[in-house]
Amino acid sequence: MFEEHYALPIDKTQWDTADKSGSAVFTWSYDTERERLLRLYSQGKRRQWDAQIRIDWSLPAYASSPEVDSAIGLAGSQLWSKLSEDEREQVRLHLLAWQFSQFLHGEQGALICASKIVQTVPEIDAKFYAATQVMDEARHVEVYSTYLDTLAIAYPINASLKSLLNDVLSDTRWDITFLGMQVLIEGLALAAFGLVRNNTSIELVRNLTAYVMQDEARHVAFGRVALRDYYPQLTEHERAEREEFCAEACLVMRDRFLAQDVWERFGFDVQACTEHLNNSESQQLFRGLLFQRIVPTIRDIGLWSPKMRDTFASMGVMGFADTDLDAIEAEDDAIAEGIDGLRKAQVNDTIQAGAD
Ligand SMILES: [Fe+2]
Ligand SMILES: [Fe+2]
């Protein structure tokens, strides 16, 4: 025990004089006890990467991809059939920029939340890990802002992401930051990233998304490890509060991808577009898939009352409850490493061709 080393008695109570709101928590026990957390911390340290080196920014930032039309959800609508091919191309480009803008703003939210976690989480091992995440999130903000700079189009943060970030940041309970950010916002982002990575025909987009996902999988794992230890210690009433927070947030997030700002930008009838999307089968499928990481995580951390399960059942996403999270995390890792391997091989080929 580290505390045995103190030559004078220490005040073991939380020291909040550094921060009048009482949100900064110091610990005087420097023992690192949780092996899984330390492993994540160690991974976080070793796997830092530099977006300017790892990503080949000379690849084209955009390529026409009509295959995304079904995912846009407007395909098949009257409005879509009236558009010329040029106009459709503009909508595709703007939707990509809109989606990546939300990723960018979400990443900044994650950066701020991760730094808040460093301050508020009571244990030193969790502070260590969260510090690596602060750096990860800064790199993600860098990646997405660089990408949007190349596209030269960006959109403001959408209302539902903004309100969720507000809720998460204004709550002083450390676990709500974890639950809101690491489990819900990042869980949803990770699923959305996965859909992008697996379906895009733009190589640059696939590569940068795979690299970000490699880090994000670690972040969601951090949330799981920290909360799995903590939630069993709460009273049933306290857990019910957390479940209510989750249920509300999930409903808000489900509407996060309606892209109203894009329809507005093009002068489309926003209400008609929203209605069409709400009834579109591909949109419903898409919005269901967004919960593939959240549902098994919520189950894993023990917020699994009948009420919580009913909420997920009503959203049609209970099928994800049995997802093997460790297996998909390992897959995210392998895909990113695979891209590195491919790039190395390409560089070697170029060098070889030069020599020949
Ligand atoms: Fe991130
Ligand atoms: Fe993250």
Side-chain angles (χ1 to χ4, degrees):
M1 290 285 277
F2 186 91
E3 284 170 38
E4 289 166 6
H5 304 321
Y6 283 111
L8 286 171
I10 50 158
D11 178 7
K12 287 185 190 174
T13 55
Q14 290 172 355
W15 182 48
D16 57 10
T17 50
D19 181 334
K20 291 283 179 269
S21 69
S23 62
V25 175
F26 278 74
T27 175
W28 306 120
S29 160
Y30 292 89
D31 296 310
T32 50
E33 280 161 354
R34 287 171 296 178
E35 200 212 333
R36 178 91 167 97
L37 263 184
L38 283 178
R39 238 184 314 154
L40 285 172
Y41 169 55
S42 158
Q43 264 182 17
K45 281 191 293 183
R46 278 182 286 115
R47 298 216 172 152
Q48 293 292 323
W49 46 276
D50 185 337
Q52 299 310 323
I53 295 169
R54 197 182 188 192
I55 295 170
D56 179 1
W57 291 101
S58 71
L59 290 168
Y62 183 73
S64 173
S65 26
E67 68 275 7
V68 301
D69 287 3
S70 65
I72 289 173
L74 282 191
S77 69
Q78 243 182 2
L79 178 105
W80 194 250
S81 63
K82 280 191 205 144
L83 297 179
S84 69
E85 190 42 42
D86 273 358
E87 288 167 324
R88 287 182 192 176
E89 195 52 43
Q90 277 300 309
V91 176
R92 288 174 199 131
L93 173 64
H94 273 255
L95 271 171
L96 182 72
W98 175 83
Q99 192 181 26
F100 274 68
S101 299
Q102 305 316 313
F103 291 165
L104 169 68
H105 305 314
E107 293 293 352
Q108 190 191 167
L111 170 64
I112 289 168
C113 284
S115 63
K116 192 181 167 198
I117 288 172
V118 174
Q119 289 194 53
T120 57
V121 75
E123 292 90 9
I124 199 74
D125 45 15
K127 286 182 193 290
F128 281 178
Y129 171 78
T132 66
Q133 191 181 334
V134 173
M135 188 57 205
D136 290 347
E137 305 299 6
R139 286 186 291 99
H140 298 170
V141 174
E142 179 197 350
V143 167
Y144 286 115
S145 58
T146 306
Y147 180 69
L148 286 166
D149 235 1
T150 337
L151 282 187
I153 307 168
Y155 276 81
I157 188 168
N158 77 66
S160 56
L161 178 58
K162 195 171 160 188
S163 91
L164 200 55
L165 277 175
N166 253 332
D167 288 349
V168 171
L169 282 167
S170 59
D171 204 299
T172 52
R173 295 167 292 184
W174 68 264
D175 71 290
I176 296 289
T177 317
F178 273 78
L179 187 59
M181 181 41 80
Q182 316 283 110
V183 174
L184 299 174
I185 299 180
E186 302 213 275
L188 187 97
L190 200 47
F193 293 166
L195 293 169
V196 169
R197 181 194 64 192
N198 300 343
N199 297 309
T200 184
S201 55
I202 309 168
E203 193 183 343
L204 175 61
V205 166
R206 182 175 51 246
N207 294 359
L208 67 86
T209 309
Y211 292 152
V212 169
M213 285 183 77
Q214 193 178 21
D215 296 339
E216 296 300 346
R218 209 162 53 229
H219 304 169
V220 177
F222 173 47
R224 279 169 65 204
V225 175
L227 296 179
R228 204 165 40 189
D229 287 348
Y230 182 63
Y231 281 160
Q233 303 169 26
L234 296 185
T235 64
E236 207 168 303
H237 173 74
E238 287 168 328
R239 267 196 303 274
E241 277 176 0
R242 270 72 179 176
E243 290 186 346
E244 210 163 290
F245 172 79
C246 282
E248 272 172 29
C250 284
L251 292 173
V252 170
M253 289 195 298
R254 199 169 48 162
D255 296 333
R256 210 182 115 179
F257 285 88
L258 290 172
Q260 280 117 332
D261 290 346
V262 178
W263 317 137
E264 197 185 312
R265 155 70 177 69
F266 282 91
F268 298 164
D269 180 341
V270 175
Q271 205 186 337
C273 288
T274 309
E275 253 166 53
H276 185 86
L277 289 185
N278 279 334
N279 296 319
S280 142
E281 225 169 273
S282 66
Q283 264 296 307
Q284 272 162 19
L285 186 75
F286 169 73
R287 284 197 267 172
L289 286 171
L290 291 176
F291 290 87
Q292 58 184 346
R293 310 255 181 157
I294 291 178
V295 177
T297 308
I298 295 284
R299 180 186 181 171
D300 190 53
I301 59 177
L303 295 182
W304 205 239
S305 71
K307 213 173 149 200
M308 196 72 237
R309 281 175 289 182
D310 282 350
T311 304
F312 287 141
S314 72
M315 293 169 68
V317 295
M318 268 299 271
F320 297 125
D322 297 321
T323 307
D324 182 345
L325 286 165
D326 290 326
I328 46 174
E329 277 165 30
E331 195 191 337
D332 291 340
D333 210 48
I335 292 175
E337 296 293 320
I339 292 172
D340 282 342
L342 208 64
R343 275 204 65 204
K344 240 179 243 160
Q346 282 166 347
V347 170
N348 286 339
D349 283 353
T350 314
I351 294 170
Q352 188 63 41
D356 291 347

